[in-house]
């Protein structure tokens, strides 16, 4: 039985979720893999010792999250969550090699987010997908090359060993850059 599909990606999804998405695309399947319900409005980034959770406030609060389908949720602009998310991301990743290349585009979306959670998560997903050139990894020829080329496969395994697939994909993007996609086929190794 196949995985249930829904119409939106999670908020700055985990690297594990992107590995499942790449696997689906390699099999020629459309749609997004299902994520844990809380991941549609939350993500984890590298913290000091423990991962730090970034949560998007949802209009209607926890009861709306429990009652509505993820693709029906609306972002609440109550509070300073956009400032807090961007500040946390900058504090954690500001000195990483790819921060200056990705952060301006990421912050442009988060600073003035769409009010629809699906629009926000899809905008962020499209940015990450394009910036990391993930389309390259989901071509069957490229996936075969990665697995069959000893040097490329070795690098993919090395990257998979140092990445935490439970954290947001932005962890890999800021620390390793587009090369992190080489680790996706080795998410389970």
């Amino acid at each position: 039985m196949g995985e249930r599909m829904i119409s939106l990606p999670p908020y700055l999804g985990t690297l594990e979720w992107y590995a499942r998405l790449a696997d689906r695309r390699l099999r020629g399947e459309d749609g997004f893999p299902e994520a844990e319900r809380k991941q549609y409005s939350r993500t984890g980034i590298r913290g000091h010792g423990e991962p730090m959770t970034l949560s998007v406030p949802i209009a209607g609060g926890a009861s709306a999250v429990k009652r509505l389908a993820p693709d029906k949720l609306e972002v609440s602009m109550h509070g300073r969550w956009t400032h807090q998310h961007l500040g946390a991301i900058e504090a954690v990743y500001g000195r990483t090699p790819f921060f200056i290349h990705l952060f301006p585009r990421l912050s442009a979306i988060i600073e003035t987010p769409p009010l629809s959670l699906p629009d926000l998560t899809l905008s962020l997903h499209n940015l990450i997908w394009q910036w990391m050139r993930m389309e390259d990894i989901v071509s069957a020829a490229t996936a075969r090359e990665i697995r069959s080329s000893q040097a490329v496969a070795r690098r993919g395994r090395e990257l998979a060993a140092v990445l935490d697939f439970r954290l947001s994909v932005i962890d890999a993007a800021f620390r390793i850059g587009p090369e992190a996609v080489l680790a996706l086929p080795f998410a389970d190794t």
Side-chain angles (χ1 to χ4, degrees):
M1 180 179 218
E3 185 175 30
R4 198 183 111 202
M5 300 309 296
I6 64 163
S7 60
L8 77 149
Y11 177 66
L12 296 170
T14 64
L15 194 57
E16 184 273 332
W17 184 87
Y18 276 94
R20 287 190 295 126
L21 177 60
D23 185 58
R24 288 192 60 80
R25 295 292 188 270
L26 281 169
R27 294 190 317 250
E29 298 175 15
D30 293 328
F32 295 113
E34 189 171 12
E36 289 182 41
R37 191 166 187 78
K38 65 183 178 184
Q39 288 181 333
Y40 292 106
S41 60
R42 292 184 192 173
T43 197
I45 62 171
R46 190 169 297 276
H48 299 289
E50 291 293 315
M52 180 186 318
T53 300
L54 302 178
S55 297
V56 176
I58 300 300
S63 66
V65 173
K66 290 177 186 173
R67 164 175 107 259
L68 298 173
D71 58 351
K72 303 294 184 208
L73 297 173
E74 297 289 321
V75 175
S76 170
M77 291 311 293
H78 178 74
R80 298 172 31 117
W81 74 269
T82 59
H83 178 75
Q84 292 168 344
H85 284 212
L86 293 173
I89 291 168
E90 186 169 7
V92 172
Y93 299 110
R95 293 183 178 203
T96 57
F98 294 92
F99 180 82
I100 62 170
H101 304 288
L102 178 58
F103 186 74
R105 297 189 337 203
L106 184 77
S107 66
I109 295 169
I110 294 174
E111 280 176 350
T112 54
L115 291 181
S116 157
L117 184 66
D119 290 345
L120 172 62
T121 62
L122 194 56
S123 295
L124 292 166
H125 164 75
N126 288 339
L127 168 65
I128 295 295
W129 187 265
Q130 292 164 3
W131 189 83
M132 291 189 70
R133 302 184 59 204
M134 288 192 182
E135 195 63 41
D136 293 349
I137 199 73
V138 299
S139 83
T142 303
R144 276 193 303 277
E145 287 173 23
I146 289 173
R147 288 191 174 106
S148 65
S149 166
Q150 289 182 357
V152 176
R154 183 173 40 254
R155 182 63 179 148
R157 284 188 192 93
E158 288 170 359
L159 293 172
V162 299
L163 290 169
D164 186 340
F165 282 77
R166 299 167 301 166
L167 294 178
S168 171
V169 67
I170 65 171
D171 181 70
F174 285 134
R175 292 186 323 109
I176 296 173
E179 185 184 32
V181 298
L182 297 177
L184 294 180
F186 305 102
D188 295 329
T189 60

